[in-house]
Amino acid sequence: MSRPPALDPLFRSLRSIKGVGPQLGALLNRFFGGEGDTIALDLLMHMPTGLVDRRRMVGIAMAPPGHTSTLRLHIDRHIAPPRGRASQPHRVFAHDQTGEILLVYFRAQGNWIEKLLPVGEERFVSGTVGIFNGVKQITHPDYVVDVADFETMPLVEPVYPLTHGLTTKALTKLVRATVETLPELPEWIVPERLEQFPWPTFREAMTKVHVPKEPSDSELWGAARMRLAYDEYLAGQLALLIVRSTLVAAKGISRSFTGEITGRVESALPFELTDSQQLAITIIREDLAKPTRMSRLLQGDVGAGKTVVALMAMAAVAEGGAQSALMAPTELLAAQHLRTIQPLAEKAGLTVALLTGKQPAAERRAVLEGIASGAVNIVLGTHALFQGAVEFADLGLVVVDEQHRFGVSQRLALTDKGRHADLLVMTATPIPRTLVLTHFGDMDVSVLRDKPRGRQPIDTAVLSIGEYDRVIARLRARIEQGAQAFWVTPLVEESEVLDVVSAEDRYAALRDVFGDQVALVHGRMSAAAKQEVMDRFKANEVKILVATTVIEVGVDVPNATIMIIEHAERFGLAQLHQLRGRVGRGAQRSACLLLYKEPLSETARARLETIRDTEDGFVIAERDLDLRGQGDLLGTRQSGMPGYHLAVADVHKHLLEYAHNDARSIWRSNPGLTGPHGEALRALLYLFRKDLALPLIRAG
Ligand code: ADP
Ligand code: MG
């Protein structure tokens, strides 16, 4: 199962390459941000974002100003700056058959320019042609080469994302050296797909992209980039299937139900289940009854009522005598789940416990004992649930709430606690199909489409912060009528210019108006302090809660009917939607106010209007995908979920479906990834850093 030796050159540290000293090495490590040293593979996967075309060789007279040209020049004379006038450039006069041109160098030291461009000789010079005082000139040419060395000038040159201190030249040289060490690898794409798309081999594709002969070689819609995008998708899909096979195909336990406990929970509910809640519960019970492991994603917009579905699943598992664990992303949410779940569960005769990282030792020990003895049926908590010390008597079901903060590897780690435990993952982010495939291809999906009955639409308005006085007057009137309000401000980095109102600023300003009806909660407070403030808000002692986005996920205060979001232009669409979902949870009509600071760009306005015009999370998610890209939607930046380097969704996403299907048929016919094709696929997984999935493949 070890890495194919053919890939060894790609996994070499760049420091082993001649010309990469400690300084450049450190710079590359920072830039590529890996854990260890940057390796050759990192360079290979570093895609150009554009290119410079130096093929224009039309002579000085025809060289268009503002564009890159390559000229064959006869060098006539040099004029160095007069002594003590370092601000003046060094000028080189040159000509060809069509005209004259000036080559200009600022702050040139020493006489290297004389050596580079010897008078009386010919050189190929490439750079951007400009005009100064009516004379054509090139300032700091990109390339100057001897006529005999013309071959060494890259006529079509990729342009890479760079960082301070890293030049295109240095990077290009390293990338080219890497491409040269790349061996021809066995083909992993299935023949039928290659018949449909006449793509180059992986090696050819990498060569075209990094050492293009013509611009189309490295264009996003060119065959080379298409192939590489497909490869990346295929690696991702295959890895997900491997994960899925360990989760699902691994033996689960076939659960049976008496209907007793679930019946009691259902009759304790103060409302009727919606049709989609009912359907989801039925399907989950079917999953639980199967001898394979459940791995299901429950999608439902904010307020769709996912918690009850989870509770019914946990109650069903309890009927067979097994335990359930529900993991929330924050202690605040875990505590909130306790408050909703505990009364209902206890009416049904179940014991519920909360386990967090910050509990007093004695309390924690008691909870751990209850979990180990089986006295506790349902445990709620944060990721602390799945750390070493926790031993379950019989863990049957793991529920993960607000899934988008957890990645595939976390999913694997937590089902490890219960070897046969079923897995239910809940997410409030409506996820478009393409993203479900890329991030949750290993899971089955249920969707809660309809919202609980009696929900009122939320009146959403977009206003400039210039209307602050009016906003305050209206807020005061609503508060006097008994309403409660959230006032959300963006997180402000200390480094940011203080043009942005922070939660502290807004809290101070609102206190001047509303006195101690206002409270503040933000991410830097301790969990206990946050909880205390939230409790006072829930108890209606606090009327206005000023908050950073800590309230983003899951917080449920039905009496809160006003959501004011300041600097709404700084939030993502998904985030705004989540925030707005904090209101409109009770029977009263709710309002959401999106306050922006002028000037507002066209796109920013379009985004705010999207939120104003629809409450459909799926519509918003699709728009968000268009406007911001997938990383933001799923919060991958924080959670380190799989991102794509080579595939660009806008151009390549149609290939995802092919990769998905191909991965499935490969996995069906060759689940051990054996034989030559299996070897090829393993190499693919290593190339795209998905090899973590490989040890999961069961022998035989
Ligand atoms: P989310 O899907 O965002 O996690 P919750 O599970 O927190 O939503 O439910 C939101 C609110 O809706 C809660 O107050 C819950 O009690 C209530 N609720 C859930 N299901 C129903 C239903 N079928 N009818 C009425 N209210 C419901
Ligand atoms: Mg929830």
Side-chain angles (χ1 to χ4, degrees):
M1 290 257 173
S2 59
R3 192 171 67 214
L7 299 182
D8 285 349
L10 294 175
F11 284 82
R12 238 177 357 163
S13 159
L14 284 184
R15 290 187 192 231
S16 67
I17 291 178
K18 222 181 107 215
V20 181
Q23 212 177 345
L24 181 56
L27 184 68
L28 289 167
N29 287 352
R30 263 201 313 281
F31 183 46
F32 285 98
E35 269 153 34
D37 275 354
T38 305
I39 56 173
L41 182 63
D42 295 321
L43 290 180
L44 197 65
M45 296 295 180
H46 190 56
M47 291 287 109
T49 47
L51 49 80
V52 179
D53 187 353
R54 305 187 184 285
R55 292 170 308 161
R56 200 190 321 264
M57 296 185 60
V58 288
I60 296 169
M62 301 297 287
H67 292 270
T68 303
S69 285
T70 301
L71 303 166
R72 182 177 181 148
L73 299 180
H74 186 91
I75 310 303
D76 296 322
R77 68 198 161 99
H78 284 246
I79 299 186
R83 286 177 73 83
R85 302 285 298 278
S87 65
Q88 296 231 349
H90 182 116
R91 288 173 296 167
V92 184
F93 294 81
H95 74 269
D96 67 8
Q97 284 151 357
T98 70
E100 296 187 340
I101 196 163
L102 198 54
L103 308 177
V104 178
Y105 291 85
F106 287 94
R107 281 175 299 280
Q109 274 166 21
N111 55 355
W112 62 273
I113 302 175
E114 274 95 353
K115 289 201 183 116
L116 186 71
L117 296 156
V119 171
E121 292 192 19
E122 273 196 323
R123 290 288 183 273
F124 277 103
V125 175
S126 186
T128 309
V129 175
I131 294 194
F132 191 69
N133 286 340
V135 179
K136 281 198 172 154
Q137 64 174 45
I138 297 178
T139 306
H140 294 214
D142 301 329
Y143 287 93
V144 174
V145 300
D146 286 7
V147 174
D149 295 337
F150 180 63
E151 297 287 279
T152 64
M153 177 157 14
L155 286 183
V156 179
E157 189 179 32
V159 176
Y160 296 98
L162 295 171
T163 180
H164 185 72
L166 184 62
T167 62
T168 301
K169 254 188 199 161
L171 187 61
T172 306
K173 215 169 125 195
L174 287 172
V175 174
R176 284 178 165 239
T178 304
V179 171
E180 274 162 26
T181 61
L182 183 63
E184 196 62 77
L185 297 168
E187 185 56 81
W188 47 74
I189 304 185
V190 294
E192 306 83 73
R193 196 56 69 204
L194 285 175
E195 257 163 50
Q196 179 187 9
F197 299 114
W199 285 330
T201 65
F202 181 77
R203 178 164 176 268
E204 285 164 2
M206 279 294 181
T207 309
K208 274 178 185 289
V209 166
H210 289 299
V211 195
K213 294 275 184 292
E214 44 198 299
S216 62
D217 285 350
S218 73
E219 267 163 4
L220 279 179
W221 45 88
R225 283 299 297 264
M226 286 287 174
R227 180 201 161 113
L228 296 176
Y230 171 90
D231 284 344
E232 188 170 39
Y233 285 140
L234 183 67
Q237 291 300 303
L238 205 53
L240 283 173
L241 281 177
I242 296 171
V243 170
R244 181 189 168 85
S245 75
T246 16
L247 289 181
V248 180
K251 255 177 87 180
I253 290 177
S254 172
R255 310 266 164 202
S256 54
F257 316 109
T258 60
E260 219 174 293
I261 302 177
T262 43
R264 270 180 279 169
V265 170
E266 202 174 338
S267 47
L269 291 175
F271 47 72
E272 295 214 343
L273 294 169
T274 64
D275 290 347
S276 50
Q277 280 172 325
Q278 215 110 53
L279 181 64
I281 291 167
T282 306
I283 290 176
I284 289 169
R285 288 167 71 109
E286 281 167 11
D287 285 351
L288 294 172
K290 283 183 200 155
T292 48
R293 244 168 159 181
M294 171 171 81
S295 177
R296 181 166 292 278
L297 176 71
L298 177 64
Q299 283 194 57
D301 213 341
V302 266
K306 295 181 291 295
T307 317
V308 178
V309 175
L311 175 57
M312 290 293 282
M314 297 192 290
V317 166
E319 286 175 0
Q323 297 165 295
S324 299
L326 188 158
M327 174 163 85
T330 65
E331 309 215 337
L332 198 75
L333 287 166
Q336 175 174 300
H337 279 312
L338 183 73
R339 279 191 305 273
T340 28
I341 286 174
Q342 195 167 36
L344 292 166
E346 285 182 350
K347 269 186 206 154
L350 297 174
T351 307
V352 181
L354 179 71
L355 187 74
T356 71
K358 295 188 181 123
Q359 268 164 328
E363 191 183 317
R364 190 177 154 81
R365 210 171 314 122
V367 173
L368 286 175
E369 272 170 28
I371 297 173
S373 73
V376 169
N377 306 102
I378 296 177
V379 197
L380 310 174
T382 56
H383 56 277
L385 275 180
F386 296 96
Q387 273 149 14
V390 190
E391 293 291 339
F392 289 86
D394 178 14
L395 181 60
L397 172 66
V398 173
V399 182
V400 181
D401 192 15
E402 311 301 353
Q403 140 73 28
H404 55 286
R405 313 249 158 157
F406 305 101
V408 171
S409 48
Q410 284 97 325
R411 293 212 279 281
L412 277 175
L414 61 86
T415 41
D416 250 16
K417 273 282 171 192
R419 275 263 152 241
H420 308 286
D422 290 294
L423 176 65
L424 177 67
V425 168
M426 309 195 287
T427 168
T429 312
I431 308 171
R433 162 111 183 122
T434 46
L435 293 191
V436 168
L437 281 185
T438 57
H439 296 269
F440 307 101
D442 59 322
M443 308 188 83
D444 298 310
V445 180
S446 290
V447 182
L448 297 184
R449 279 263 173 205
D450 48 351
K451 294 218 171 162
R453 271 180 288 278
R455 285 282 158 77
Q456 305 256 15
I458 301 168
D459 301 313
T460 303
V462 178
L463 271 183
S464 159
I465 188 69
E467 308 273 344
Y468 182 71
D469 292 340
R470 259 180 61 205
V471 172
I472 293 297
R474 266 168 59 184
L475 181 59
R476 189 203 302 271
R478 295 285 292 264
I479 298 286
E480 276 164 11
Q481 290 160 12
Q484 286 179 279
F486 291 105
W487 190 305
V488 178
T489 63
L491 264 185
V492 182
E493 307 272 327
E494 270 170 43
S495 59
E496 276 184 294
V497 209
L498 282 179
D499 216 14
V500 178
V501 174
S502 70
E504 277 97 346
D505 300 339
R506 183 52 65 212
Y507 171 63
L510 290 173
R511 264 194 96 89
D512 287 344
V513 184
F514 295 97
D516 52 14
Q517 291 182 307
V518 189
L520 171 68
V521 59
H522 59 69
R524 286 189 304 275
M525 287 161 67
S526 72
K530 269 191 270 193
Q531 189 60 57
E532 200 240 289
V533 176
M534 288 306 301
D535 286 345
R536 279 169 49 221
F537 188 58
K538 278 202 140 174
N540 205 354
E541 290 162 28
V542 164
K543 301 292 178 185
I544 303 173
L545 184 67
V546 180
T548 51
T549 47
V550 288
I551 61 152
E552 182 188 341
V553 275
V555 172
D556 192 21
V557 183
N559 192 50
T561 52
I562 301 172
M563 168 62 66
I564 298 174
I565 303 170
E566 187 163 3
H567 286 294
E569 76 281 1
R570 292 173 67 101
F571 291 88
L573 286 190
Q575 224 179 357
L576 290 173
H577 177 63
Q578 289 271 343
L579 285 168
R580 178 172 56 184
R582 299 302 113 218
V583 297
R585 302 198 141 212
Q588 251 122 58
R589 209 169 166 96
S590 295
C592 173
L593 218 53
L594 304 173
L595 293 177
Y596 62 87
K597 187 180 162 80
E598 280 163 299
L600 195 60
S601 73
E602 285 283 312
T603 28
R605 180 173 298 278
R607 292 174 45 222
L608 296 184
E609 285 173 354
T610 301
I611 297 289
R612 187 193 60 198
D613 296 341
T614 180
E615 271 187 66
D616 185 329
F618 281 87
V619 173
I620 292 170
E622 295 282 354
R623 286 284 291 155
D624 200 25
L625 191 62
D626 292 346
L627 290 168
R628 283 167 59 103
Q630 58 177 344
D632 290 285
L633 180 62
L634 290 177
T636 53
R637 296 224 169 100
Q638 303 92 293
S639 68
M641 292 237 305
Y644 291 104
H645 301 289
L646 282 65
V648 176
D650 283 348
V651 184
H652 300 130
K653 71 177 172 210
H654 65 287
L655 297 173
L656 179 57
E657 202 83 34
Y658 293 126
H660 178 70
N661 294 337
D662 294 348
R664 289 209 163 212
S665 69
I666 288 168
W667 192 244
R668 253 197 314 275
S669 62
N670 185 5
L673 298 189
T674 53
H677 190 215
E679 290 281 301
L681 289 160
R682 283 164 197 263
L684 170 75
L685 291 173
Y686 275 103
L687 283 172
F688 286 92
R689 301 289 181 88
K690 301 288 185 196
D691 50 293
L692 275 177
L694 281 175
L696 299 173
I697 299 178
R698 301 267 146 93

